[in-house]
Amino acid sequence: MRNNEQLIMNNYQLNNVIDNWLAISLKLRYFLKIILFLIINYSLSTVHCKAQSSAKYLVTLKDKNNSPYSVSKPLEFLSQRSVNRRTKQKIALTTRDLPVNPAYVTEIKKTGAKVWYSSRWMNAVLVQTSATNIQTILKLPFVKGLEGKNPIDAPQNRVGRRESKFEVTDTQSFDYGLAKTQIEMIGADAMHDAGYKGEGMLIGVLDEGYNNANNMLVFKTLFDEKRIIGTYDFVNKETSVYEDGSHGTEVLSCMGAFLEGKLVGTSPKASYLLLKTEDSQSESLLEEVNWLIGVEYADSVGVDLINSSLGYARFDEASTDHTPAELFGNTTISARAADWAAATGIICVISAGNNDIPDWKYISTPADADSVLAVGAVDAKKAWAVFSLPGNPNDKRIKPDVAAMGQSAAIALPDGTISTGSGTSFSSPILCGMVAGYWQANPTLTAMEVMVNVRKAGSQADKPDRLLGYGIPVLFKRALSIENEVSGIFKIYPNPSKSTITIELLEATHKNYDANLTDISGKTFWAEPLKNAIQTISVEKLTAGVYFLRVGNEEKNSVMKIVVE
């Protein structure tokens, strides 16, 4: 018994010891939790403060001295296609085309700043750093200063994207029948009939994102034929652009879609470079910097045209908002970028903007740039669409430049359905595709000459206004008739030709037959009655390109295409 009692006592004492240690352990755990809580919160607070103090700045540099790059060796920083575009238009390379001096970038990195991108044309570097360190960078001997209303982007000021920014208001589904209206309105159907669908042209698209475009049936030929020549996301610094952002998908469909009976774009056989410069999570000057970098990249790749259905006026940080006085073509970052692109021989087609911006009444930037085609919107009846922003009445220039269908325009959605949307976001690419085909048909023209011809072809070129500019351009007029061509009134030879073309009538009689020669815009170069069954006309003074010869009378006509070399 005694041994049992001692055992019980020993167990009792042991239990007390364990209970005491458990109590102490629980208290220690409690205090440890408190200490850990304080440490974590202090760390998070420190990180938060650092994040709050870190912002992006566009640092401009004084020069490009001692650069390893030279205008005599352009292929070290430009593609052959980019160089060819300049050479073809007799545009010389300048120091503005040279990349930023890499030694300067290295010195900036040594301060601890993160370098995102550099700009050739602005000679600037986009950095992310603290407000304290930016002062250190500004003291570097080669630094000129800061561009824009700084900082370019501060995360603490973000309030998110305005939902109605792109004015996509319709969702009713339509088939190709509605797309037919937007194509015929600007004569793109006649362009396609003449054999120009954008082959050989490279269009750079700067937008928000191209969600699911790589899986959609309307773009199958684009991917099957490998005509998406490159992609890049300048917001997230990655190559893929297909995960988010539906707006770019819809814009691309206005040009590059090809699904007969459903939706065909204005330039379905062109090649495309898809770039994401728009941040769906914010609205800041940083997006204009992304746009600048994106346009420079598009230039280096060698694009012929750029379509951008983006516009800037108001931002999350009100102090960085643009004013109407700034939008006269040479002030904002994106407007200067657009004009620099034009100086390299690129045609920039830009949406004029929509009236969904609070207290904003006029076109946004970069549509205000001097050397771009700013595109307004009309409805299916060619009437001004009320959401399409007009030009500034204090601006002596004509803005917008031209217009195309933008109200209830046929588009493809990321889920593959054919729908409609409204906004200058769609009138711009619809027109851009047509301009690409026109340039394809007239390869000897410079970018500036093409833009002049687009304005001249406008429906109100003689009376431009602030709503539609020079109006709705029609660069191709329907001239070919398969039935009449088969009727066999005449034949021509040689074709192509550099000097003369012979017209030979195939019928026994040629009484009352007239002939006229026009270009693809409908301009007449030669017209007279045919006096003989065989007649020769001179074409040696004509500019190389495509022309149409019509022969006929009141009863029948035949039209054939002529190529002048």
Side-chain angles (χ1 to χ4, degrees):
M1 284 290 297
R2 193 173 168 150
N3 289 336
N4 289 338
E5 288 176 356
Q6 185 63 41
L7 182 60
I8 292 170
M9 179 60 70
N10 290 341
N11 287 338
Y12 177 78
Q13 291 173 344
L14 180 61
N15 286 334
N16 282 339
V17 171
I18 292 172
D19 288 340
N20 289 335
W21 275 107
L22 285 173
I24 293 171
S25 176
L26 288 171
K27 289 179 180 179
L28 285 172
R29 289 174 63 189
Y30 175 76
F31 285 115
L32 285 172
K33 283 183 178 180
I34 293 175
I35 293 170
L36 187 60
F37 175 81
L38 292 173
I39 291 172
I40 291 172
N41 275 274
Y42 175 79
S43 299
L44 288 174
S45 177
T46 303
V47 171
H48 181 68
C49 289
K50 287 182 179 178
Q52 290 292 321
S53 62
S54 177
K56 290 178 182 175
Y57 301 84
L58 190 58
V59 179
T60 57
L61 309 177
K62 292 179 181 178
D63 55 59
K64 294 183 179 180
N65 295 343
N66 303 313
S67 171
Y69 299 102
S70 168
V71 294
S72 64
K73 297 180 179 179
L75 294 181
E76 292 183 358
F77 53 92
L78 296 175
S79 68
Q80 185 64 60
R81 186 183 175 105
S82 180
V83 173
N84 292 347
R85 187 190 64 240
R86 288 169 166 81
T87 303
K88 185 178 179 180
Q89 300 181 62
K90 297 178 178 164
I91 297 172
L93 284 162
T94 68
T95 55
R96 187 172 65 202
D97 292 302
L98 297 178
V100 168
N101 190 329
Y104 294 167
V105 176
T106 299
E107 289 301 311
I108 290 174
K109 286 181 178 179
K110 286 180 181 179
T111 68
K114 178 180 179 180
V115 173
W116 279 74
Y117 302 107
S118 61
S119 166
R120 292 184 286 121
W121 295 340
M122 193 169 281
N123 195 22
V125 181
L126 179 65
V127 304
Q128 183 174 0
T129 190
S130 67
T132 301
N133 195 51
I134 194 64
Q135 298 305 317
T136 301
I137 293 173
L138 289 173
K139 292 176 183 177
L140 294 172
F142 53 83
V143 170
K144 180 180 180 181
L146 296 177
E147 176 66 33
K149 302 165 184 177
N150 285 279
I152 291 293
D153 178 53
Q156 66 268 24
N157 296 329
R158 293 185 174 187
V159 298
R161 162 68 47 76
R162 299 178 181 90
E163 289 300 323
S164 60
K165 178 174 183 179
F166 298 121
E167 193 71 31
V168 181
T169 56
D170 301 340
T171 56
Q172 183 180 358
S173 295
F174 288 90
D175 62 11
Y176 180 71
L178 187 59
K180 186 172 182 287
T181 302
Q182 65 204 42
I183 286 176
E184 290 184 346
M185 185 181 292
I186 55 175
D189 57 327
M191 177 180 79
H192 296 164
D193 287 346
Y196 303 105
K197 303 178 183 69
E199 291 92 341
M201 306 302 293
L202 177 55
I203 302 174
V205 188
L206 276 67
D207 218 285
E208 177 197 25
Y210 308 85
N211 187 22
N212 204 41
N214 54 333
N215 296 314
M216 294 168 60
L217 192 57
V218 293
F219 298 130
K220 187 176 186 300
T221 59
L222 268 180
F223 288 91
D224 286 352
E225 297 171 7
K226 302 187 186 311
R227 287 187 286 109
I228 299 296
I229 61 94
T231 62
Y232 199 80
D233 179 346
F234 289 93
V235 176
N236 300 304
K237 215 168 186 180
E238 60 186 22
T239 56
S240 181
V241 296
Y242 302 122
E243 293 79 22
D244 50 23
S246 63
H247 187 256
T249 304
E250 296 160 4
V251 166
L252 178 62
S253 71
C254 295
M255 297 177 284
F258 187 75
L259 186 59
E260 287 188 284
K262 297 294 183 180
L263 181 64
V264 176
T266 46
S267 204
K269 291 296 181 179
S271 296
Y272 295 89
L273 174 67
L274 305 183
L275 306 177
K276 176 179 176 178
T277 63
E278 186 77 3
D279 187 351
S280 59
Q281 301 303 314
S282 69
E283 193 73 358
S284 72
L285 281 170
L286 176 60
E287 291 175 297
E288 285 197 59
V289 177
N290 291 342
W291 203 90
L292 161 70
I293 304 300
V295 170
E296 288 187 23
Y297 179 75
D299 162 50
S300 70
V301 171
V303 302
D304 302 298
L305 304 95
I306 284 174
N307 180 85
S308 187
S309 296
L310 303 172
Y312 305 100
R314 299 280 193 242
F315 301 107
D316 295 342
E317 174 52 53
S319 64
T320 63
D321 286 352
H322 291 313
T323 65
E326 291 177 326
L327 302 190
F328 283 82
N330 52 18
T331 300
T332 71
I333 293 171
S334 58
R336 282 180 285 164
D339 284 338
W340 289 329
T344 70
I346 297 172
I347 296 176
C348 292
V349 185
I350 314 291
S351 60
N354 310 310
N355 64 0
D356 56 342
I357 306 173
D359 303 320
W360 192 262
K361 300 178 181 179
Y362 312 122
I363 63 170
S364 52
T365 195
D368 68 310
D370 294 327
S371 303
V372 307
L373 290 174
V375 187
V378 297
D379 63 17
K381 295 182 179 180
K382 303 182 181 180
W384 173 65
V386 294
F387 57 76
S388 182
L389 286 173
N392 191 326
N394 296 319
D395 192 345
K396 294 181 181 180
R397 304 170 303 160
I398 300 299
K399 287 288 179 177
D401 294 85
V402 287
M405 185 170 165
Q407 184 167 322
S408 297
I411 59 174
L413 302 180
D415 64 2
T417 60
I418 307 303
S419 184
T420 60
S422 294
T424 56
S425 284
F426 307 124
S427 57
S428 178
I430 288 170
L431 186 77
C432 183
M434 186 268 289
V435 175
Y438 176 73
W439 207 1
Q440 176 195 0
N442 295 271
T444 61
L445 296 180
T446 66
M448 290 298 176
E449 289 171 336
V450 170
M451 289 192 286
V452 168
N453 289 351
V454 170
R455 296 183 186 103
K456 283 182 178 179
S459 57
Q460 53 185 45
D462 56 338
K463 278 184 153 184
D465 59 29
R466 294 193 303 113
L467 297 181
L468 302 180
Y470 293 91
I472 304 166
V474 179
L475 289 163
F476 291 83
K477 299 185 185 300
R478 178 165 291 283
L480 298 179
S481 171
I482 296 176
E483 292 183 357
N484 289 334
E485 190 170 331
V486 174
S487 65
I489 295 177
F490 71 101
K491 64 180 180 179
I492 53 175
Y493 51 86
N495 188 20
S497 175
K498 294 181 180 179
S499 55
T500 61
I501 288 179
T502 298
I503 307 169
E504 181 179 341
L505 295 175
L506 301 178
E507 296 186 345
T509 177
H510 56 271
K511 292 182 180 179
N512 302 321
Y513 277 168
D514 294 318
N516 64 71
L517 184 68
T518 63
D519 65 9
I520 56 178
S521 69
K523 180 181 178 181
T524 300
F525 290 87
W526 178 83
E528 63 181 64
L530 288 179
K531 299 177 181 179
N532 303 300
I534 299 177
Q535 189 164 331
T536 300
I537 62 173
S538 173
V539 295
E540 60 183 354
K541 292 183 179 181
L542 296 179
T543 302
V546 175
Y547 297 83
F548 297 102
L549 180 66
R550 172 189 166 276
V551 174
N553 54 28
E554 294 181 355
E555 296 180 359
K556 52 186 173 180
N557 291 276
S558 184
V559 180
M560 294 184 68
K561 181 167 67 175
I562 295 175
V563 177
V564 176
E565 295 179 328

